[in-house]
Amino acid sequence: MATKYELEVIHNGTDCGDFCIYQTYDGQMDDIRPLVWFSKTAHPGTKLNFGWEIDYSVAWSEQGDLTPGVVFKASQIQAMDPSDTSRNTVLLTCEKGAYRFGSSDNPTKAGKLGVVCDTMIAPNTVSVGVAMSGKPTHACVAAPSLKYTFAPHPRYWIAFGKFEEGEVIDVNRMTQKFEIAYPVNTYLRTIELTANNTWTNR
């Protein structure tokens, strides 16, 4: 059974707004866009709880534009296992005018996830991404005959503002963001947005 990670957020800030959880990973290519993974709205003086497991999937969306603010809405999510080279790569194809995942004979190195796009993919019409705990975390616009590789070793972040789950974000323009670290054998963290709208560990 997968280990569950939990995050408790105490909202002692000044405004009602959305708490956004998103991920980054080291070595992430510029064309792979972070998405709002979780988003919950809260009033000051309240508490939120988030939870997830380290299980991976890949996803595609009929979205050929991933500029900040666009929402990635998954049309298909397929479970994957980065450690198993027989289960860490899929083919994205278009048959009878519709996209779907299929099997691929183009393996990906253990520890990563791969999506192979065949020649039937029309440019700028579909995007592919990786998901954790059933919700997409990153995506990129797909192109025919290319393979996209994701290295899912996430760093977790929280931000406060106005967000929608699946929304493409520009992390360089994010304000009030805070990294949530989980030391070895630590699965529960508590953080606070304070009265002066800064973050602190509890």
Side-chain angles (χ1 to χ4, degrees):
M1 185 175 179
T3 301
K4 184 172 182 178
Y5 287 75
E6 295 180 271
L7 175 66
E8 182 179 74
V9 181
I10 301 169
H11 183 10
N12 285 327
T14 57
D15 301 306
C16 178
D18 303 327
F19 287 86
C20 151
I21 311 293
Y22 68 96
Q23 297 184 13
T24 63
Y25 59 86
D26 295 335
Q28 183 175 323
M29 303 296 289
D30 289 341
D31 60 343
I32 297 178
R33 310 288 183 161
L35 308 174
V36 174
W37 184 29
F38 295 106
S39 179
K40 292 184 179 181
T41 306
H43 289 279
T46 62
K47 187 183 297 183
L48 293 173
N49 291 281
F50 297 88
W52 62 88
E53 296 177 349
I54 309 297
D55 56 14
Y56 290 102
S57 309
V58 291
W60 64 265
S61 172
E62 289 186 298
Q63 179 56 260
D65 173 25
L66 290 179
T67 53
V70 169
V71 177
F72 179 98
K73 295 182 178 179
S75 296
Q76 185 179 6
I77 296 179
Q78 181 167 317
M80 304 282 278
D81 183 354
S83 66
D84 184 349
T85 55
S86 69
R87 295 186 58 232
N88 70 346
T89 308
V90 295
L91 173 74
L92 179 65
T93 186
C94 186
E95 293 182 350
K96 299 179 180 179
Y99 291 106
R100 70 172 181 88
F101 283 136
S103 60
S104 170
D105 58 3
N106 184 342
T108 302
K109 183 179 178 181
K112 298 186 177 183
L113 298 173
V115 179
V116 179
C117 298
D118 72 9
T119 58
M120 302 302 293
I121 302 301
N124 301 315
T125 60
V126 63
S127 52
V128 295
V130 64
M132 181 191 286
S133 213
K135 292 179 179 287
T137 63
H138 297 85
C140 60
V141 177
S145 304
L146 293 184
K147 179 178 181 179
Y148 298 91
T149 302
F150 302 90
H153 301 285
R155 297 167 63 182
Y156 303 110
W157 300 80
I158 189 168
F160 181 76
K162 184 173 178 57
F163 302 100
E164 181 178 348
E165 286 189 0
E167 180 183 344
V168 179
I169 52 178
D170 182 351
V171 296
N172 296 318
R173 300 181 65 180
M174 296 285 282
T175 59
Q176 291 182 315
K177 61 185 178 183
F178 184 75
E179 185 169 9
I180 310 155
Y182 285 84
V184 176
N185 296 325
T186 299
Y187 306 104
L188 171 63
R189 295 301 310 272
T190 300
I191 60 174
E192 177 190 356
L193 183 63
T194 68
N196 60 1
N197 292 310
T198 59
W199 298 98
T200 184
N201 287 302
R202 292 286 294 267

